[in-house]
Amino acid sequence: MSHPLFDLTGKTALITGSSRGLGRAFAEGLAQAGARVVLNGVNAERLEAAAQEMRDQGFDVLTAAFDVADEAAIVAAFEALDTAGVDVDILVNNAGIQFRKPMLELDTADWRRVIEINLTAAFVVGREAAKRMAKRGRGKVINIGSLTSELARATVAPYTVAKGGIKMLTKAMAAEWGEKGIQSNAIGPGYMVTDMNEALIENPEFDAWVKGRTPMRRWGLPEELAGTCIYLASDASNYVSGQIIYADGGMISVL
Ligand code: GCO
């Protein structure tokens, strides 16, 4: 039995990019804490398969298939949720891509796509969710940042800039939406075992660098982020806003 402050029973959470990876881990954690979850992704087949896997575990799961880079699709998805009587109490802006290339070789189109998906989408989905949360006088927005919200790594400039923007967007949301009863915070994952990082994990030099640079001397597991997500989604964080919490094995805190 969890502490009542962390109980999400009766709440609905929309998690973008949640058919796999970190987003799926957030969805599983929130569902385990009692929330109904709305999974999102662009691939409807993969999304439905993920939803069914979670339903088979006994969780209450809906799906909302839309591309977070498509504003019209986002607006339509929220209107469909309105029509279905589904109120989003918790939004996890997780969807994101990585694109590794030195800036001197980087096409502007590739720069723009990363910024669009990793930053602008969080604003658009956040705005649509907050319009509805504000009417109810309560809501939780959880943006997913990165170690690159604070520190730059060569060859991932657009991702770094977008994630730095996520940190400041979170503060901007806190500034404007606090009086509406909405808390806006962020999670900064460390180097996690995900598909997006597969090439890094399989690179012996990079693997050694991560383990040497991380006080806990290992990569993180997606499910190790669930507790921070549950905390920021719950009444336990009702007076916390504008913060970014790093779950990174200590990496951001050491030289
Ligand atoms: C990279 C990685 C990182 C991690 C994470 C670290 O190429 O350096 O993809 O960006 O995914 O963001 O916090």
Side-chain angles (χ1 to χ4, degrees):
M1 180 66 185
S2 67
H3 189 287
L5 279 176
F6 293 87
D7 184 1
L8 300 181
T9 304
K11 298 286 177 34
T12 297
L14 167 63
I15 307 97
T16 63
S18 48
S19 52
R20 58 183 177 166
L22 299 189
R24 176 71 178 272
F26 293 133
E28 300 247 358
L30 295 172
Q32 286 160 1
R36 172 172 64 173
V37 296
V38 182
L39 301 185
N40 160 258
V42 289
N43 181 314
E45 191 177 326
R46 184 190 294 153
L47 191 60
E48 194 48 47
Q52 194 52 52
E53 286 172 9
M54 289 187 66
R55 292 185 191 115
D56 292 346
Q57 293 174 269
F59 298 130
D60 184 357
V61 185
L62 302 175
T63 59
F66 60 85
D67 181 346
V68 294
D70 180 344
E71 181 165 5
I74 294 167
V75 172
F78 273 90
E79 289 171 350
L81 289 169
D82 294 341
T83 302
V86 177
D87 292 338
V88 173
D89 304 296
I90 302 155
L91 169 65
V92 182
N93 272 320
N94 165 77
I97 60 172
Q98 181 56 284
F99 191 90
R100 301 181 182 102
K101 188 173 279 189
M103 280 191 277
L104 292 180
E105 302 161 27
L106 188 62
D107 293 337
T108 309
D110 290 324
W111 165 278
R112 288 200 174 102
R113 179 152 178 76
V114 175
I115 299 291
E116 179 72 24
I117 292 172
N118 290 19
L119 179 57
T120 304
F123 157 67
V124 177
V125 180
R127 180 193 66 202
E128 291 310 304
K131 282 179 181 176
R132 292 150 173 90
M133 292 172 175
K135 290 176 182 171
R136 298 192 296 271
R138 60 177 172 80
K140 299 282 189 177
V141 176
I142 302 166
N143 298 316
I144 305 307
S146 159
L147 293 167
T148 58
S149 295
E150 304 287 352
L151 302 170
R153 183 173 87 77
T155 75
V156 290
Y159 185 97
T160 299
V161 169
K163 293 300 189 180
I166 282 290
K167 176 180 172 185
M168 295 315 294
L169 174 64
T170 300
K171 294 176 187 284
M173 287 173 167
E176 292 194 18
W177 297 345
E179 64 189 16
K180 302 179 186 307
I182 300 167
Q183 291 83 54
S184 309
N185 293 287
I187 297 172
Y191 277 89
M192 311 303 289
V193 178
T194 59
D195 292 348
M196 185 170 81
N197 286 338
E198 186 176 0
L200 305 179
I201 295 164
E202 291 178 358
N203 178 317
E205 291 76 24
F206 201 97
D207 177 55
W209 174 76
V210 167
K211 290 171 178 171
R213 192 63 185 72
T214 306
M216 289 182 69
R217 303 287 180 256
R218 64 176 177 84
W219 294 71
L221 301 174
E223 57 267 28
E224 291 183 297
L225 301 175
T228 303
C229 191
I230 292 165
Y231 164 65
L232 292 175
S234 73
D235 290 341
S237 60
N238 279 355
Y239 200 56
V240 177
S241 203
Q243 299 302 309
I244 182 166
I245 299 176
Y246 288 96
D248 65 350
M251 187 189 246
I252 199 84
S253 301
V254 300
L255 289 176

